[in-house]
Amino acid sequence: MLLRRSIAVPSFTIVALLLLSSARSQAQQTTKSQNDPRPVAQAALRQGEVSVDGRLDETAWAAATPITELTQSTPEEGKPASQKTEIRILYDAAALYIGARMYDSLGARGVRSALARRDQVMNGDNNLTSDRISFVFDTFRDKNSRSWFELNPDGVKGDHQNGDPSYDPVWEGATKIDSLGWTAEFRIPFSQLRFSRASDQVWGMQIWRNIDRRNEQDMWAFWRNNEYGGPAYFGTLEGIKLSSQPRQMEIVPYATTRSKLERARPGDPFHSNTEMTYRAGGDVKVNLTSNLTLDATVNPDFGQVEVDPAVVNLSVFETTFNEKRPFFVSNSQYFSTGGFSCYFCSNVSSLSLIYTRRIGRSPQLAGLLSGRSDFMDAADATTILGAGKVTGRTSNGITVGVMDALTNRERARFRPVGIATDSTLEVEPLTNYFIGRLRKDFRGGSTRVGTITTMVNRNLSNPDEVARLRSNAQAVGLDLDHHWANRAYAFNVQSALTHIGGDTAAIRRAQFSSARYYQRPGRTETTDGLFSTTFDPTRRNLYGYGFYARLAKETGNWLWETTQNWRSPGFEANDLGVLGRADYKWMLVNVFRQWTTPGRWYRNMYTIWGAQTQNNYEGDKNEGDWHVWWQATFKNYMNVSSFVLIHPSLYDERLTRGGPTVIRYGYNMLSTNFGTDSRKRIVGNVQVQYITARDNTEGGRVAYYPSLTFKPSSRLLLNLSPSLDLDNTAQQYVTAVSDPTVAPQFAGTRYVFGRLQQKTFSMDTRVNMTFTPTLTLEMFAQPFLASGKYTSFKEFAEVKSRQMYLFGRDNGSTVVAETDPQTGKLTGYRIDPDGPGPATELTFGNPDFNLRALRGTGVLRWEYRPGSTMYFVWTQERNGFDQFGNFNFSRDRSALFRDRPTNVFQIKGTYWIGR
């Protein structure tokens, strides 16, 4: 709960404050800031031909009044740009034209550039830096939106919409380097933009110029580095008069062929060593109006050309990956509710009502068949019959996002254990996914109110589906984003109600889920204030709520924030979103100090001090820490950052995986990162994490994450990012066995834990070769080796305690390691918990593991005409598993290259047809 107090202030303090206020007022009159009048530019009607070749030699450009006044953001904030710039803007009925001359006092010698794939220079991928000229438009003048277009001296394009780099409109750009510096020409069709229906257009606009050799960034509409800035403080572009609204229709058909080479298991009736697949379909984009767009797809190709990284997940929580499929990434910002924001926080997540990788997911019951069959043939992904969405902004300021997708039934063929005939089973039902999002702007965009609805409906057709899958799921949310005092202060709220329905067996599984563990012994909560939270095996519905609220100061040298993030026990969003856990009330407070004006030894410096805490709905504190973070950039553009986190031992109702609440040991963490100037040909970065255990001697961690980037030429980039993680966990869950002799609080179950010594090594390797801005070759490989050794098996002495009994030492217990008499390999353990006592002897298999994987891909991309691309893709995966337990790099590396590879070759072509 947040409390306010009245504070008495002596009269002399009031006088001092008035004097200080007057001094600040006078200073503001002489210091450039976001509160200064915003600049205005005029676009002129194009009167002659303009050829987009980067030369700026057409007479038509003379009709435009040049923009010449840019101001430094860095390195000398507020001073005039060190190099002269001239920008002219024209338009006609179909497009916007921009001509930019970037002078350089060193001429061509002063120009710095890099060849790369589209958006990579803009994003700074792999430490890519370059001279750039960027134009950002707020076409609705709602003071929140950004449509970004940029070029570098080699003609590499960059574009994004509200931070979404998947936004790839079809536009033209060309550049030239000459004795005066360099030039750039843009032609941006109005059909690729969204704007109001007014004949006289008034847009917000910002211009950025990056001068790489000086690490200088110049801007047209100035704001200071400690101010909020953004579209609310853009300048204005006027003069565009459109007698008719542009209409757009785009059709992008595709064709793809895929060859998979994988050695089939002997006797497998469903697979051969080589499998070929062919696919064709297409996407359609139609401008319903100048501000609303319909996207539809027929037989969509949602395959991705990049591989997900290998990970070791020993928790009960799902590992998620970024969405990479084009249809879902495109215009995804229209469905966003704002996400989660904090200056510094950990072990927390957003509401996450939308995770589009649920659509077209791997069949959910395929794993069920693997335990019932010798051989199985199931699809890697569910077929998407069709999907469509409408996105944009209405004339009265309502932002709209509506999407619907239908996935087909998936049946798997399998050969049951011990039976010679084949069977089939539906492993994924016919499913419809719907998302609807609306948001309305008030107070010139300073206040935004939105709502979101998601629905999932499944047509369940067999007993396994009925017992394991929910038949329907819904979520309804409301959100508010409010700013005031020139956006110095912000208040953001997101809330949601969720419901899942289905058979009693399916809802019982939801109650047993690791997100909530309704069945755990000793659990006392019966309500979350709105809904019942008692365990009920006859339930057919489960309801819950969640909300996130943040109050913050976001402008000035001193910033602060306080945040609440709650999930009721019955909250469930996993049918279309992501939920790792429910049943918590999380709170955060941070104070943030920033120095954005260079000092004697630094260019900028930041520090954050804060704390966070979390309780479950029973009142048990199960998360919390104190933290300090610091970061500085030196005069030579090297940088260093570090943080300290103190995490005490706290209650944990999930450590026993459905058992009673116990105490998880705490830890102290120190993390340090050092990086060199990213403009150099060789760029280095290293991060080291060091963790010491609290209240025990078995835990601790040391992790190293170095990275080295080589840029031998403007066309070639190599990046090596090895990592080594040495992690010791004192309380790793092993198994649970029934035993009526345990203390009553454990409800007849004995929970076994062990010390896990885990070592993980990986090496992310990237090689990017850019032949032209439209022809690139990218290669990625990730060898991955991990080992885990379990020792010191133990159990908790009592609930809500950190005291543990070590088997083999306490209570007369014994531990016997069992081995294979022929090979001598460890096969498992036999434990007598109390020696001569009445406890039942327990056994479990060898939990040690050695995992290895090699994942790699090579992608040749060729944009052979605007909007049309050919992809040539090769992917290889190798996976292996053993149970040595120890880490031996030479042995595991050799075994990795003996593992049978899976090779996939794919060719995909798209052809853009637009008007």
Side-chain angles (χ1 to χ4, degrees):
M1 178 181 293
L2 299 177
L3 301 177
R4 295 183 179 180
R5 295 186 301 170
S6 298
I7 301 176
V9 182
S11 59
F12 71 86
T13 305
I14 295 176
V15 173
L17 290 174
L18 290 173
L19 293 174
L20 180 60
S21 175
S22 175
R24 285 179 176 172
S25 177
Q26 295 176 10
Q28 288 175 353
Q29 295 174 7
T30 59
T31 302
K32 295 174 72 70
S33 79
Q34 67 182 16
N35 298 318
D36 295 338
R38 301 289 85 189
V40 179
Q42 294 289 328
L45 180 65
R46 180 177 65 83
Q47 300 291 346
E49 291 297 321
V50 171
S51 176
V52 183
D53 54 13
R55 297 183 184 278
L56 299 180
D57 53 4
E58 297 89 353
T59 58
W61 291 112
T65 302
I67 300 169
T68 58
E69 293 187 9
L70 301 185
T71 304
Q72 290 188 51
S73 175
T74 58
E76 298 175 279
E77 182 184 63
K79 291 187 177 181
S82 67
Q83 307 295 318
K84 182 181 176 182
T85 304
E86 289 184 359
I87 296 164
R88 292 174 168 84
I89 301 177
L90 303 174
Y91 75 96
D92 58 23
L96 188 75
Y97 300 80
I98 304 173
R101 156 64 73 179
M102 280 62 67
Y103 292 93
D104 196 297
S105 58
L106 299 181
R109 292 187 300 108
V111 178
R112 301 287 184 269
S113 192
L115 266 172
R117 181 163 61 90
R118 184 174 187 161
D119 293 341
Q120 287 187 336
V121 173
M122 176 185 71
N123 297 334
D125 292 354
N126 299 307
N127 296 300
L128 280 172
T129 66
S130 172
D131 286 7
R132 296 185 289 156
I133 186 72
S134 308
F135 296 87
V136 195
F137 301 106
D138 176 6
T139 53
F140 287 105
R141 202 61 173 120
D142 62 11
K143 300 186 179 181
N144 285 289
S145 301
R146 297 177 176 90
S147 294
W148 181 295
F149 299 85
E150 73 167 43
L151 287 169
N152 82 344
D154 278 321
V156 176
K157 292 180 178 179
D159 39 42
H160 74 75
Q161 192 169 66
N162 298 323
D164 177 9
S166 67
Y167 172 69
D168 286 335
V170 179
W171 57 281
E172 298 176 70
T175 57
K176 292 292 181 183
I177 301 175
D178 57 26
S179 60
L180 299 178
W182 65 287
T183 56
E185 276 185 306
F186 298 70
R187 181 184 183 274
I188 305 171
F190 288 128
S191 63
Q192 302 297 305
L193 298 169
R194 307 292 171 264
F195 47 86
S196 73
R197 302 185 190 184
S199 57
D200 292 343
Q201 295 290 314
V202 179
W203 296 357
M205 184 174 74
Q206 179 63 292
I207 303 169
W208 298 93
R209 180 183 175 185
N210 290 73
I211 304 171
D212 192 55
R213 66 181 172 84
R214 296 193 72 251
N215 220 338
E216 178 178 330
Q217 186 175 54
D218 304 326
M219 59 198 306
W220 178 53
F222 180 80
W223 57 74
R224 306 192 71 80
N225 290 309
N226 66 351
E227 293 179 320
Y228 186 85
Y233 298 95
F234 281 6
T236 302
L237 176 63
E238 299 177 343
I240 301 174
K241 300 180 183 297
L242 299 177
S243 59
S244 62
Q245 296 296 317
R247 297 300 300 272
Q248 173 200 25
M249 174 177 285
E250 298 179 9
I251 302 174
V252 185
Y254 80 88
T256 181
T257 177
R258 184 173 184 267
S259 174
K260 182 178 181 180
L261 284 69
E262 180 180 25
R263 176 165 293 188
R265 291 167 53 198
D268 189 339
F270 305 122
H271 300 95
S272 62
N273 293 341
T274 302
E275 297 179 354
M276 292 287 295
T277 57
Y278 304 91
R279 193 180 183 92
D283 298 334
V284 177
K285 183 188 294 288
V286 179
N287 274 9
L288 304 176
T289 66
S290 65
N291 49 9
L292 285 176
T293 302
L294 167 67
D295 290 272
T297 183
V298 177
N299 195 27
D301 172 46
F302 291 150
Q304 62 188 55
V305 296
E306 302 175 59
V307 296
D308 294 320
V311 294
V312 175
N313 184 358
L314 299 178
S315 74
V316 295
F317 305 119
E318 175 186 15
T319 300
T320 60
F321 299 100
N322 292 332
E323 177 64 87
K324 299 174 183 177
R325 301 171 296 177
F327 176 85
F328 291 113
V329 197
S330 175
N331 291 329
S332 59
Q333 73 274 8
Y334 285 99
F335 302 94
S336 171
T337 57
F340 191 98
S341 179
C342 69
Y343 294 136
F344 186 101
C345 53
S346 58
N347 298 322
V348 66
S349 60
S350 65
L351 279 173
S352 299
L353 299 179
I354 301 173
Y355 178 52
T356 52
R357 286 182 72 138
R358 301 283 186 221
I359 305 173
R361 67 197 304 172
S362 298
Q364 297 178 77
L365 300 187
L368 182 67
L369 288 185
S370 63
R372 300 178 182 177
S373 60
D374 290 324
F375 301 100
M376 181 183 67
D377 179 26
D380 295 330
T382 305
T383 300
I384 302 175
L385 296 175
K389 57 185 172 183
V390 174
T391 56
R393 180 185 172 91
T394 67
S395 58
N396 58 359
I398 298 178
T399 301
V400 177
V402 179
M403 182 172 72
D404 195 82
L406 181 66
T407 60
N408 202 7
R409 301 182 186 276
E410 292 292 340
R411 300 185 67 85
R413 297 180 297 165
F414 65 101
R415 181 163 293 178
V417 176
I419 299 178
T421 58
D422 299 335
S423 300
T424 62
L425 181 71
E426 185 174 295
V427 290
E428 183 71 27
L430 182 73
T431 307
N432 191 82
Y433 300 86
F434 172 83
I435 305 170
R437 169 82 168 134
L438 299 174
R439 187 180 62 223
K440 171 69 175 175
D441 290 1
F442 301 93
R443 300 175 56 247
S446 294
T447 301
R448 314 177 90 183
V449 179
T451 181
I452 188 170
T453 299
T454 70
M455 293 187 290
V456 178
N457 290 285
R458 299 185 176 94
N459 188 352
L460 309 177
S461 64
N462 66 52
D464 285 319
E465 289 180 342
V466 170
R468 294 173 177 271
L469 304 179
R470 277 91 79 158
S471 61
N472 64 91
Q474 300 84 31
V476 178
L478 293 172
D479 55 273
L480 166 69
D481 189 23
H482 177 62
H483 298 261
W484 68 97
N486 291 321
R487 301 207 175 209
Y489 299 91
F491 179 56
N492 179 256
V493 178
Q494 301 166 30
S495 61
L497 295 174
T498 64
H499 163 260
I500 58 172
D503 185 77
T504 56
I507 303 304
R508 188 161 55 248
R509 289 173 60 86
Q511 294 178 85
F512 284 172
S513 163
S514 60
R516 54 192 59 83
Y517 287 136
Y518 273 14
Q519 79 280 17
R520 66 179 186 268
R523 182 174 178 267
T524 59
E525 65 192 81
T526 60
T527 179
D528 59 17
L530 292 179
F531 309 110
S532 169
T533 60
T534 57
F535 173 64
D536 181 356
T538 66
R539 280 182 188 270
R540 291 184 177 271
N541 300 278
L542 188 66
Y543 297 90
Y545 64 83
F547 82 88
Y548 157 80
R550 177 177 183 261
L551 176 66
K553 183 175 183 288
E554 298 183 328
T555 291
N557 293 326
W558 284 96
L559 313 176
W560 51 262
E561 66 179 347
T562 180
T563 305
Q564 299 268 337
N565 193 42
W566 293 19
R567 303 293 180 273
S568 76
F571 185 85
E572 179 56 75
N574 276 315
D575 290 87
L576 188 50
V578 174
L579 176 73
R581 64 180 297 167
D583 191 7
Y584 64 83
K585 300 176 181 180
W586 180 90
M587 289 150 276
L588 166 77
V589 62
N590 279 320
V591 177
F592 186 172
R593 176 66 165 97
Q594 56 180 346
W595 293 263
T596 57
T597 301
R600 286 192 310 165
W601 56 271
Y602 62 85
R603 292 194 176 274
N604 53 61
M605 185 166 60
Y606 311 90
T607 185
I608 298 172
W609 297 67
Q612 65 182 47
T613 185
Q614 176 178 291
N615 288 23
N616 62 19
Y617 274 66
E618 294 177 85
D620 295 333
K621 184 175 180 179
N622 55 16
E623 186 61 58
D625 66 56
W626 297 87
H627 50 259
V628 178
W629 174 84
W630 173 81
Q631 188 269 335
T633 300
F634 302 116
K635 291 286 190 177
N636 61 0
Y637 293 102
M638 292 184 177
N639 62 85
V640 63
S641 65
S642 184
F643 73 84
V644 174
L645 191 150
I646 300 173
H647 189 293
S649 299
L650 297 169
Y651 291 122
D652 191 330
E653 69 275 20
R654 285 166 171 78
L655 192 61
T656 54
R657 303 194 181 185
T661 299
V662 291
I663 291 182
R664 181 190 289 271
Y665 295 141
Y667 57 87
N668 301 322
M669 173 187 288
L670 170 65
S671 179
T672 301
N673 186 88
F674 176 79
T676 63
D677 186 348
S678 60
R679 298 173 299 160
K680 302 298 184 182
R681 287 194 177 274
I682 299 178
V683 183
N685 189 85
V686 61
Q687 180 183 5
V688 178
Q689 287 188 355
Y690 179 69
I691 296 176
T692 59
R694 295 172 65 96
D695 301 320
N696 75 98
T697 60
E698 294 185 328
R701 179 184 181 194
V702 180
Y704 307 91
Y705 305 99
S707 176
L708 199 60
T709 301
F710 301 89
K711 297 180 280 188
S713 74
S714 64
R715 299 177 181 272
L716 180 63
L717 181 144
L718 300 91
N719 176 265
L720 301 175
S721 298
S723 68
L724 178 63
D725 191 339
L726 310 176
D727 188 9
N728 295 318
T729 303
Q731 297 168 309
Q732 179 63 47
Y733 178 88
V734 177
T735 189
V737 296
S738 297
D739 188 343
T741 66
V742 298
Q745 304 97 313
F746 291 98
T749 301
R750 191 178 298 277
Y751 299 92
V752 181
F753 295 82
R755 182 193 189 198
L756 172 60
Q757 297 170 286
Q758 185 174 331
K759 300 178 181 179
T760 305
F761 170 81
S762 69
M763 169 75 81
D764 290 2
T765 306
R766 297 183 184 275
V767 179
N768 294 350
M769 182 68 188
T770 305
F771 305 100
T772 70
T774 57
L775 180 61
T776 61
L777 174 64
E778 296 178 300
M779 293 175 286
F780 169 79
Q782 184 203 47
F784 178 90
L785 304 174
S787 69
K789 179 68 176 178
Y790 285 81
T791 58
S792 302
F793 298 106
K794 55 182 77 79
E795 66 177 342
F796 279 94
E798 55 188 58
V799 301
K800 292 195 171 183
S801 167
R802 61 172 166 260
Q803 181 185 0
M804 304 194 78
Y805 292 140
L806 182 65
F807 293 129
R809 185 194 67 184
D810 299 328
N811 301 328
S813 60
T814 60
V815 178
V816 177
E818 298 184 318
T819 58
D820 187 302
Q822 296 182 343
T823 64
K825 290 184 177 180
L826 178 67
T827 59
Y829 292 90
R830 187 173 70 253
I831 296 176
D832 186 337
D834 60 355
T840 304
E841 186 177 72
L842 61 96
T843 61
F844 53 89
N846 178 15
D848 297 344
F849 63 86
N850 289 78
L851 300 175
R852 54 186 181 269
L854 175 60
R855 298 185 174 189
T857 185
V859 181
L860 180 68
R861 288 179 177 87
W862 176 32
E863 187 177 355
Y864 58 93
R865 64 188 299 271
S868 306
T869 307
M870 291 291 297
Y871 299 89
F872 302 86
V873 184
W874 167 64
T875 300
Q876 184 182 99
E877 289 196 35
R878 298 170 181 258
N879 295 282
F881 176 80
D882 281 305
Q883 289 185 291
F884 302 113
N886 67 319
F887 187 90
N888 185 311
F889 180 82
S890 177
R891 177 199 65 206
D892 295 340
R893 179 202 59 191
S894 299
L896 177 60
F897 287 99
R898 290 194 301 269
D899 292 328
R900 295 292 184 184
T902 299
N903 289 286
V904 176
F905 297 91
Q906 183 174 341
I907 300 175
K908 176 184 174 182
T910 65
Y911 188 86
W912 183 82
I913 304 169
R915 67 174 180 83

